[in-house]
Every structure is written in structure tokens, then in C-alpha cells.
């Protein structure tokens, strides 16, 4: 720790921060930005006037870095040093250094817009360009105007274009912390491998047999592949002749790993033993694993993409960018000269890879963020004019406004409604927040809380419901309920209720093939959501389990109606001729019921006429995932709203202009070209990459 590069810059950093409200710090991954900056500022008195907040885009990083800093300062985690991530707050009165996800900081700013408890706010890992960090950048720009005397903002990043951020903050200073990186020799494959799991396996074993000591970091795309490779590696290592090479430990590293398994990568290996760390791109910049000398780079990453014109999500394995490839290679040269084996040919790197990763704001649904910005209610905030480092596309803003209107979060003029305001306080996506509020009206809040919590589970609870596969659920004999024909939401409710009846017995989960950790998490989330609802409604809600865990048809009907209101435009009607559906909305899509759904045809072989869905995903075909049957009479009001909807008025920013003025041709919504400014080259390249990507997807 003593020789981390950033520590040599302590004086310079402190001096610059003292003299400027905003400072950008660029430093190689592992130089100590996440763990040391907060400690430096604490040592130098910045915690006397408030807490130091450090945001992280990833939950895992927030927890792991907080744990490390607590250790270095020899304090109890959750006391002087703590963390807060969605559904888990481990801070106390004593906390002076607080790691939190960017999403949590955004939510805190709703109840405390000036964030007065903080003396310093560090936006860490800004190069990840997460949606929430991008929004925070805009908010910080406003906040330092209001609190110029007593707030310091630091933006830190490994690879970010520092000049761009500096321009964004009126040319604030940029400090570069040169990390000492040893040279990394790069090897390319001669051709793209047929299976990169096999190719990674072979390369890993070659290294193990031929190369001197040093850990191997392998970048894969996701949990499934990581688990496969870990298993294969274990088999191969065991089959090696005894004594022919050193021992090996194989460790997975990804976001859904239980914390106690995550931390294993930070403890040094036993002597004469090589570690293989098989990781997602979490190890690219957010977590630094010491001791790595060899990197194996698959060249791929899993990325979620939302297409606003179809409302469709996809989880795609895509080629990484050149910036990412170089970051990955850099992991090999932290302690001595290293080697990086790229499982792709050099021509792919040069000609196929894009320069930089597309910021999340340009590839995700913005409904939640638009609602958030609207609820800030700042006189000079118009979502369409909000100061973004890279603005989102016109389509995605339009899509967000439509969605919010259909669930009554904004009115026809685009102003936030009372319902919308309450929704913004809940740490859930808008559809689920809306469902909770509606369910409260119908007296089925308790059930809706359960469904919302089940859907918020981080990991797939049920076997075969993994987000990335569309395998049919195994129909092994199972005692689990089946949703009584109403669909997946009702099934989720019934499962939780059965578990409740066993008094939350872990063995019951195991017997039924349910993830124990996931179910515990659901229980916890449910408890927290009810507390938040209680607070919002000042304690007058019926969120208790109140002994009524056995639902009747009528209860299910109420809940389904609340879901119908909450999902609003996530609605589909059956096509008589095909056994498929067409989504209801501006641009109807033909979609199918996801094979994992419990929704089945009735005795006449018919699927329900109307369903709402939690998510549209496009894998081999467009599918609706997590479905619930709804009634025609509930659909009618949504149809009416759809007909009445006028996107020009919705985007008016709620400025209360007279109707005639807005009804005309002239829209206050900037035209596409206005929104997607492309002043600099990198921006237009990113846009072009995104367009190409969408076009490719469209062709599938
Ligand atoms: O943020 P940045 O990439 O600049 O570096 P950092 O995360 O502050 O890491 C600095 C050092 O602390 C590295 O050598 C990490 O391996 C170590 N570290 C650790 O041992 N355990 C953690 N949970 C986090 C960091
Ligand atoms: Mg960091």
C-alpha cells in the first residue's frame, strides 16, 4: 500500500482540491484512486466539515473497496467507514468515509437536494460511463454553483478523456497520476477461435505448463461461461502429472458471486501455487487483483442494449473496444513485465473493434432517469436540455416520456404528477413503483411488495430462468405452485408465500431447487420496500403479512389489475391466427411467450387475450419474459391514453405553455440532429458504432 502511485501525489492533490471546486484525477487502474483518495482527504481534514462520499457504478466494488479501506484504517466496517448500495445500508452516525453506488447517491439527493452531509463527493470510475454517473456529472455541475464554498467534487477515472470532462466543468484542472506499468508483451491468435472457452482453456494450460510463476487473469463474458471454464480448468489441472508443475487454484470473479467468495481473490496465494482468476470485465478496472502476470483476453463482453424504438432489450456478447482491450492487457503489467494473450487476430483488434465503449446513457431505457430528473423540480431543469456529457438519443427520451405518461407519472403536458413524485422515491423501476401504489389502493399492497421483491432479486431464483438463456424450464416433478394459470407474477407470489409458511426454511428452498441466497435477499428487499412505503404513506399502510397469506381468486385479480396499471405500455394482445402476440403501442411488434413462462394455453389450446410483460427480450426471437394475464376492461383506459397521447406536448417540459402554441407543427423537442450533437470526432464515432450495432441487430 505504501508505494501506491497516488500517494506520491498527496501534496499536489490536496493543494489542487483546496483551490478548486472540481478536480479530475486520471490514474492507471490499481494506482490507488478508489482506496487512497478518500483516506488522503480524511487525513488532511476534509472530514471535519462532512462525510466523504465515493461513488461506484458497481455494487461489488462499493462493498469491496469499503471493506479494504476499513481494514487499512483498522476500523469496523459500517462504523467509521461504511457503504450503501441498493437495499443495503452499512453506515452509522460515526461514518466519515462512505462508499456508495451512484444510484444510491442520486436517490439521496431527492430527499436532500444539496447533499449537505457531504464535504467531498468523489465520482469514481467515471470511465465506466454508467448512466447514473453521467447524470451525477450534470447534477454536480449545478450543485457546485450552489455550494461553491463548502463542497469539493472529484471525478476520477482510469482511461476517460480528461479534457472532455474538464471542458464540461469549465476547464477544471486535470491531475494525471502516472502509474508505473511494466511492459506487456501482446500475443494474438492467428484466427478467431471456434469456441473461446476451449481456446482460453488451452492457453491457460499452456501458460501453466511452460511459463514461470505468476497469476493468470482470464476475461470471459459472464457467469455461465466462467463456471464452465472453471470446471474444465479444474479437471485439466488435476489430470496433469503430479509434480510436473506448481499447484493451482482456480477462482471465479463476477458480480453475482457471494461476497465471501469475492474477497478470496484479494488474499495472496499459498507459496508455489499459481492462481487462475476467471472474471467478467469487473476485473478490467473496478477491482484490481494483485499478482497477475498473464492475461487471457477473450475479446468479448456481455452488454445489455435497449432499443427504444421497439422497447426490446437484448443481452449480447459483443466485441470489446480497443480501450477495453488495452485496459485488460494492462492488468498483466502491474508488478513486473507481463504477457497478454488475445484470443483474436490482430486484424480484428485493428479493424473490427470500436475505439471506445458506448456510454450506457446511449444504450439503456431512460424511463427511471427521466422520472428522477423531473422529480428534482429544479426550475432550470428540462430533461431535454439537461447538461449531459454525451446526450441520449431523441428516440430514447421520447420512449421514456411515453412510458411515464402511460403509467400516470407525468401528465399530458409532461409535468410530473403526484403519483410520479411518489414513484421516484421508490428504489424500483417505474413499472414496479406504479404497481405498488396502485396495489395500495386496491388493498393488495402486501402481495405486490412480494412480487416486486421477487422480480428485484439479483440472481435467477428458479433454475432455468437465467436471464441469458431461453432454455425451457425443466419439468421435473416439482411441488412449486404454477401461478394458477395467471402467469409468472402470480407464481412468484405463491412461491414466496409457501416459503413464508415454512417459516423461511432454508432446506425448503434447497428441496425446491430455489437459490437460498436469492430468496433471503428477496425477503430482505421486501422488508425494506415495505419500510419505504410506510414512510411515504406515513405509516398508514397495510404492508404486514397480517396472516392472510392464502390468496383467493379475487386477491389475484386485484393484484393483476394493479400490475396492468403499473406496466401500462408493456401490454400485448393475442393474434387470433398465430399463437403469438402483438404489443400494444406506437410501434407494435410481434412477440412470443418466453419458454420459461408458466403461462399456458387453456383447455381449448388458447393463450389469454391480453397479457402484460415485465420485459421484452430479443434473443433468437422477440420474447416477452415474466407475463401476467390481464382483462380487456383494464386495457381500455390504457388504449384511450395511447390515443390521446401527443408526444410534442409530453416533451414540453411541463412549462405550461398555452395549448395552441404547442399543438402546432413546431415542437419544443429538439430535432434528432440537435440532440445528437457530434462536435468531436470520438462522439460521432461512438454514434456510428451504435448505429451499426443497432442495424446489425435489426438484421438478425
Ligand atoms: O482505484 P484504483 O484502480 O486506482 O486502485 P485501488 O482500487 O484503490 O487499488 C489499490 C490497491 O489496493 C491495489 O493494489 C488493489 O489490489 C488493492 N485492493 C485490495 O487489496 N483489496 C480491495 N478490496 C481493493 C483494493
Ligand atoms: Mg478504482
Amino acid at each position: 500500500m505504501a508505494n501506491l502511485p497516488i500517494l506520491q501525489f498527496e501534496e499536489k492533490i490536496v493543494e489542487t482540491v483546496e483551490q478548486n471546486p472540481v478536480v479530475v484525477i486520471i490514474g492507471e487502474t490499481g494506482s490507488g484512486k478508489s482506496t487512497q483518495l478518500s483516506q488522503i482527504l480524511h487525513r488532511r481534514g476534509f472530514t471535519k466539515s462532512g462525510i466523504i462520499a465515493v461513488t461506484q457504478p458497481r455494487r461489488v466494488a462499493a462493498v469491496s473497496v469499503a471493506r479494504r479501506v476499513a481494514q487499512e484504517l483498522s476500523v469496523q466496517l459500517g462504523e467509521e467507514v461504511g457503504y450503501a448500495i441498493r437495499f443495503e445500508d452499512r453506515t452509522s452516525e460515526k461514518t466519515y468515509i462512505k462508499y456508495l453506488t451512484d444510484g444510491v447517491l442520486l436517490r439521496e439527493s431527492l430527499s436532500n437536494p444539496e447533499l449537505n452531509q457531504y464535504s467531498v463527493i468523489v465520482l469514481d470510475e467515471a470511465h465506466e460511463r454508467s448512466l447514473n454517473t453521467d447524470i451525477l456529472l450534470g447534477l454536480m455541475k449545478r450543485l457546485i454553483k450552489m455550494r461553491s464554498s463548502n463542497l469539493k467534487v472529484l471525478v476520477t477515472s482510469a482511461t476517460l478523456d480528461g479534457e472532455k470532462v474538464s471542458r464540461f466543468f469549465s476547464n477544471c484542472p486535470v491531475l494525471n497520476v502516472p502509474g508505473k506499468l511494466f511492459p506487456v508483451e501482446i500475443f494474438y491468435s492467428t484466427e478467431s477461435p471456434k469456441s473461446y472457452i476451449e481456446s482460453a482453456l488451452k492457453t491457460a494450460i499452456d501458460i501453466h505448463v511452460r511459463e514461470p510463476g505468476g497469476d493468470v487473469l482470464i476475461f470471459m463474458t459472464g457467469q455461465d461461461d466462467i463456471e464452465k471454464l472453471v470446471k474444465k480448468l479444474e479437471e485439466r489441472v488435476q489430470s496433469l502429472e503430479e509434480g510436473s508443475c506448481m499447484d493451482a487454484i482456480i477462482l471465479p470473479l463476477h458480480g453475482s458471486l457471494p461476497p465471501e467468495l469475492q474477497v478470496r481473490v484479494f488474499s495472496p496465494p499459498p507459496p508455489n501455487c499459481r492462481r487462475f482468476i476467471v472474471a467478467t470485465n469487473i476485473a478490467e478496472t473496478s477491482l484490481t487483483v494483485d499478482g497477475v502476470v498473464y492475461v487471457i483476453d477473450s475479446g468479448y463482453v456481455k452488454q445489455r442494449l435497449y432499443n427504444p424504438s421497439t422497447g426490446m432489450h437484448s443481452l449480447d456478447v459483443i466485441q470489446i473496444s480497443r480501450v477495453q482491450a488495452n485496459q485488460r492487457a494492462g492488468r498483466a503489467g502491474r508488478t513486473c513485465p507481463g504477457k497478454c494473450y488475445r484470443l483474436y487476430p490482430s486484424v480484428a483488434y485493428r479493424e473490427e473493434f470500436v475505439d471506445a465503449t458506448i456510454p450506457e446513457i446511449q444504450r439503456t431505457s431512460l424511463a427511471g432517469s427521466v422520472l428522477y430528473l423531473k422529480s428534482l423540480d429544479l426550475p432550470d431543469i428540462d430533461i431535454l436540455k439537461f447538461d449531459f456529457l454525451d446526450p441520449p438519443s431523441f428516440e430514447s427520451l421520447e420512449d421514456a416520456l411515453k412510458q411515464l405518461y402511460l403509467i400516470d407519472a407525468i401528465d399530458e403536458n409532461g409535468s410530473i404528477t403526484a403519483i410520479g413524485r411518489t414513484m421516484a422515491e421508490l428504489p424500483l423501476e417505474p413499472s414496479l413503483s406504479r404497481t405498488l401504489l396502485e396495489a395500495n389502493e386496491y388493498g393488495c399492497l402486501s402481495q405486490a411488495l412480494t412480487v416486486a421483491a421477487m422480480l428485484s432479486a439479483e440472481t435467477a431464483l428458479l433454475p432455468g430462468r437465467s436471464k441469458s438463456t431461453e432454455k425451457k424450464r425443466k419439468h421435473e416433478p416439482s411441488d412449486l405452485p404454477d401461478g394458477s394459470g395467471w402467469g409468472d407474477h402470480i407464481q412468484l407470489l405463491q412461491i414466496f408465500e409457501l416459503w413464508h409458511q415454512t417459516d423461511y426454511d432454508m432446506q425448503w428452498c434447497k428441496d425446491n431447487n430455489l437459490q437460498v441466497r436469492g430468496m433471503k435477499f428477496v425477503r430482505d428487499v421486501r422488508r425494506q420496500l415495505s419500510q419505504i412505503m410506510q414512510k411515504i404513506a406515513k405509516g398508514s399502510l397495510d404492508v404486514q403479512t397480517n396472516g392472510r397469506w392464502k390468496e383467493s381468486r379475487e386477491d389475484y385479480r386485484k393484484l393483476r389489475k394493479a400490475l396492468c396499471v403499473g406496466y401500462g405500455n408493456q401490454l400485448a394482445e393475442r393474434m387470433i391466427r398465430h399463437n403469438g402476440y402483438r404489443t400494444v403501442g406506437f410501434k407494435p411488434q410481434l412477440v412470443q411467450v418466453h419458454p420459461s413462462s408458466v403461462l399456458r394455453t387453456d383447455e381449448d389450446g388458447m393463450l389469454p387475450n391480453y397479457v402484460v410483460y415485465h420485459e421484452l427480450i430479443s434473443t433468437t426471437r422477440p420474447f416477452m419474459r415474466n407475463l401476467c394475464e390481464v382483462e380487456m376492461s383494464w386495457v381500455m383506459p390504457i388504449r384511450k391514453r395511447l390515443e390521446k397521447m401527443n408526444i410534442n406536448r409530453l416533451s414540453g417540459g411541463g412549462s405550461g405553455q398555452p395549448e395552441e402554441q404547442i399543438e402546432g407543427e413546431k415542437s419544443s423537442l429538439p430535432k434528432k440532429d440537435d440532440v445528437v450533437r457530434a462536435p468531436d470526432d470520438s462522439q460521432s464515432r461512438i454514434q456510428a458504432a451504435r448505429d451499426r450495432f443497432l442495424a446489425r441487430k435489426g438484421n438478425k
Side-chain angles (χ1 to χ4, degrees):
M1 172 193 134
N3 49 15
L4 284 174
I6 204 159
L7 294 173
Q8 287 137 41
F9 289 81
E10 174 156 345
E11 289 308 321
K12 179 80 188 150
I13 289 168
V14 171
E15 187 185 305
T16 318
V17 170
E18 266 163 1
Q19 288 163 9
N20 297 276
V22 185
V23 179
V24 176
I25 298 185
I26 311 279
E28 189 52 57
T29 301
S31 57
K33 301 180 299 298
S34 303
T35 53
Q36 306 306 315
L37 262 181
S38 58
Q39 297 185 61
I40 291 176
L41 295 166
H42 167 61
R43 276 201 292 280
R44 305 298 286 257
F46 284 89
T47 42
K48 289 198 185 106
S49 54
I51 302 168
I52 296 177
V54 187
T55 67
Q56 297 288 325
R58 296 167 192 268
R59 300 162 54 93
V60 185
V63 178
S64 125
V65 175
R67 178 173 291 134
R68 168 76 176 193
V69 172
Q71 224 173 46
E72 288 183 12
L73 290 172
S74 313
V75 299
Q76 190 79 36
L77 180 64
E79 298 291 325
E80 289 83 350
V81 176
Y83 67 84
I85 59 181
R86 188 167 78 139
F87 302 126
E88 191 180 353
D89 186 340
R90 281 192 70 182
T91 59
S92 71
E93 295 280 284
K94 282 201 231 160
T95 302
Y96 53 72
I97 294 177
K98 174 170 170 182
Y99 286 86
L100 70 181
T101 52
D102 43 16
V104 167
L105 186 63
L106 280 179
R107 203 158 301 282
E108 285 186 358
S109 84
L110 278 181
S111 50
N112 180 359
E114 301 205 355
L115 294 169
N116 284 313
Q117 67 272 43
Y118 300 119
S119 56
V120 182
I121 294 175
V122 184
L123 302 185
D124 200 9
E125 307 281 326
H127 56 260
E128 290 246 342
R129 297 299 309 278
S130 73
L131 172 62
N132 289 334
T133 295
D134 269 17
I135 291 177
L136 280 171
L137 283 169
L139 278 190
M140 289 304 126
K141 196 165 167 173
R142 303 171 37 83
L143 201 54
I144 43 169
K145 281 188 203 136
M146 292 190 262
R147 289 186 50 193
S148 58
S149 60
N150 67 352
L151 175 70
K152 298 293 182 187
V153 173
L154 276 70
V155 182
T156 75
S157 157
T159 57
L160 190 72
D161 179 353
E163 292 308 315
K164 182 171 172 179
V165 184
S166 162
R167 274 198 304 280
F168 184 76
F169 285 107
S170 345
N171 296 318
C172 72
V174 180
L175 288 181
N176 278 294
V177 177
K180 45 163 208 307
L181 263 193
F182 293 88
V184 175
E185 206 179 335
I186 304 222
F187 302 90
Y188 288 98
S189 296
T190 43
E191 54 193 38
S192 300
K194 284 192 192 66
S195 151
Y196 68 91
I197 296 186
E198 289 304 326
S199 173
L201 178 67
K202 183 174 179 306
T203 312
I205 295 297
D206 279 354
I207 294 173
H208 191 46
V209 175
R210 302 213 173 102
E211 297 283 341
D215 295 345
V216 184
L217 174 61
I218 309 175
F219 286 100
M220 301 301 281
T221 59
Q223 188 179 346
D224 290 355
D225 285 353
I226 289 176
E227 280 165 8
K228 272 187 216 147
L229 182 57
V230 166
K231 196 159 160 280
K232 285 180 186 244
L233 259 173
E234 269 163 0
E235 286 164 11
R236 285 296 295 277
V237 163
Q238 258 158 33
S239 71
L240 291 171
E241 207 176 308
E242 180 105 25
S244 64
C245 47
M246 67 177 85
D247 281 346
I249 324 179
I250 295 137
L251 301 169
L253 179 61
H254 54 79
S256 20
L257 210 62
E260 63 278 12
L261 295 186
Q262 265 158 23
V263 296
R264 287 191 307 179
V265 302
F266 293 113
S267 35
N272 201 23
C273 180
R274 191 199 300 277
R275 299 190 306 166
F276 289 90
I277 296 133
V278 189
T280 56
N281 69 329
I282 199 167
E284 204 172 276
T285 62
S286 346
L287 296 180
T288 304
V289 184
D290 290 329
V292 172
V293 180
Y294 309 95
V295 164
I296 300 176
D297 174 13
S298 66
Y300 289 99
V301 67
K302 210 174 253 182
Q303 195 175 66
R304 236 174 111 80
L305 185 91
Y306 177 71
N307 183 339
S309 59
T310 57
M312 203 92 69
H313 288 276
S314 54
L315 188 61
D316 298 288
V317 171
I318 61 162
Q319 276 176 332
I320 54 175
S321 64
R322 275 193 283 271
V323 168
Q324 286 180 288
N326 296 338
Q327 268 297 327
R328 290 181 175 188
R331 309 296 87 234
R334 294 232 318 131
T335 37
C336 64
K339 291 182 178 175
C340 172
Y341 299 83
R342 293 182 166 163
L343 306 180
Y344 43 88
S346 64
V347 57
Y349 172 80
R350 286 196 316 270
E351 289 171 17
E352 290 172 22
F353 285 20
V354 293
D355 283 350
T357 318
I358 302 166
E360 191 183 6
I361 197 167
Q362 294 177 341
R363 56 178 168 85
T364 194
S365 165
L366 298 178
S369 302
V370 169
L371 180 65
Y372 169 81
L373 288 172
K374 292 236 175 220
S375 73
L376 289 182
D377 230 6
L378 305 165
D380 56 335
I381 275 206
D382 174 346
I383 168 68
L384 299 168
K385 298 186 197 124
F386 188 75
D387 210 345
F388 290 113
L389 194 57
D390 286 305
S393 73
F394 170 83
E395 284 92 343
S396 55
L397 285 173
E398 191 183 75
D399 168 71
L401 290 167
K402 276 175 3 195
Q403 191 177 331
L404 292 174
Y405 171 68
L406 286 176
I407 57 175
D408 323 296
I410 58 175
D411 65 17
E412 62 269 29
N413 297 314
S415 306
I416 188 162
T417 60
I419 291 177
R421 243 171 245 290
T422 316
M423 283 166 58
E425 288 184 56
L426 289 162
L428 291 172
E429 52 207 283
S431 55
L432 293 180
S433 317
R434 184 67 185 92
T435 300
L436 290 191
L437 298 184
E438 195 68 11
N440 187 37
E441 301 285 312
Y442 304 161
C444 58
L445 178 60
S446 167
Q447 292 82 350
L449 282 167
T450 303
V451 174
M454 289 289 276
L455 287 169
S456 303
E458 299 282 289
T459 47
L461 300 166
L462 292 155
R465 269 209 199 172
S466 153
K467 294 204 173 177
S468 53
T469 63
E470 60 198 48
K471 272 181 246 147
K472 277 214 192 305
R473 223 180 280 171
K474 280 188 225 131
H475 289 290
E476 294 160 348
S478 155
D479 296 334
L480 287 179
D482 64 356
S484 311
W486 304 118
D488 305 298
H489 296 76
I490 303 297
Q491 188 205 25
L492 292 175
L493 172 66
Q494 293 170 333
I495 290 175
F496 190 85
E497 298 194 334
L498 271 187
W499 188 41
H500 169 80
Q501 282 162 18
T502 68
D503 204 13
Y504 303 113
D505 179 11
M506 297 305 151
Q507 192 53 45
W508 182 86
C509 295
K510 286 183 197 145
D511 292 347
N512 286 286
N513 254 328
L514 295 166
Q515 274 219 9
V516 174
R517 194 166 57 91
M519 291 299 286
K520 277 187 182 160
F521 179 77
V522 168
R523 187 182 170 197
D524 201 41
V525 168
R526 190 186 178 286
R527 189 183 310 127
Q528 291 195 38
L529 283 174
S530 25
Q531 280 163 2
I532 300 171
M533 284 297 284
Q534 289 286 13
K535 213 164 80 193
I536 292 173
K538 304 198 175 55
S540 64
L541 294 178
D542 176 20
V543 293
Q544 294 314 313
T545 52
N546 65 21
R548 270 192 51 243
W549 284 87
K550 204 89 200 115
E551 256 75 35
S552 67
R553 262 179 95 82
E554 196 43 40
D555 290 321
Y556 290 143
R557 187 162 180 268
K558 285 189 211 157
L559 178 61
R560 290 187 299 117
K561 190 171 175 193
L563 285 164
C564 186
V565 173
Y567 283 116
N569 68 337
Q570 287 152 260
L571 175 69
E573 62 184 347
R574 189 167 62 86
M575 308 281 292
I576 309 285
R577 282 173 172 276
H578 322 264
N579 223 3
Y581 283 84
R582 180 173 58 197
T583 60
V584 176
F586 271 5
K587 293 174 188 156
Q589 311 283 318
L590 291 178
V591 292
Q592 299 284 324
V593 174
H594 194 273
S596 73
S597 177
V598 287
L599 199 69
R600 299 266 171 270
T601 50
D602 62 16
E603 308 87 70
D604 304 327
M606 291 295 185
L607 283 163
N609 284 330
Y610 290 95
V611 291
V612 286
Y613 54 85
H614 187 66
E615 197 177 33
L616 272 192
I617 50 165
S618 159
T619 46
T620 48
R621 288 192 285 177
F623 286 115
M624 300 177 286
R625 225 165 54 94
N626 284 321
L627 297 153
C628 174
E629 171 169 1
V630 295
E631 293 178 14
M632 187 162 87
S633 63
W634 307 336
V635 171
M636 285 311 152
I638 300 172
R639 286 224 135 117
K640 287 229 172 63
R641 279 181 90 79
L642 253 171
E643 282 160 23
K644 260 184 31 196
M645 177 156 63
N646 177 335
I647 189 69
N648 289 347
R649 286 179 60 180
L650 276 186
S651 59
S655 51
Q657 295 163 42
E659 234 167 74
E660 309 81 75
Q661 218 183 313
I662 315 164
E663 285 282 285
E665 287 287 10
K666 203 166 160 25
S667 154
S668 58
L669 199 64
K671 292 283 168 289
K672 188 173 180 178
D673 292 343
D674 296 341
V675 180
V676 188
R677 308 178 216 126
D680 69 42
D681 206 30
S682 83
Q683 198 150 22
S684 51
R685 278 199 305 263
I686 288 175
Q687 181 64 31
R690 179 173 176 275
D691 290 346
R692 277 201 303 277
F693 183 73
L694 285 174
R696 245 185 292 147
K697 286 220 57 70
N699 288 339
K700 267 193 193 163

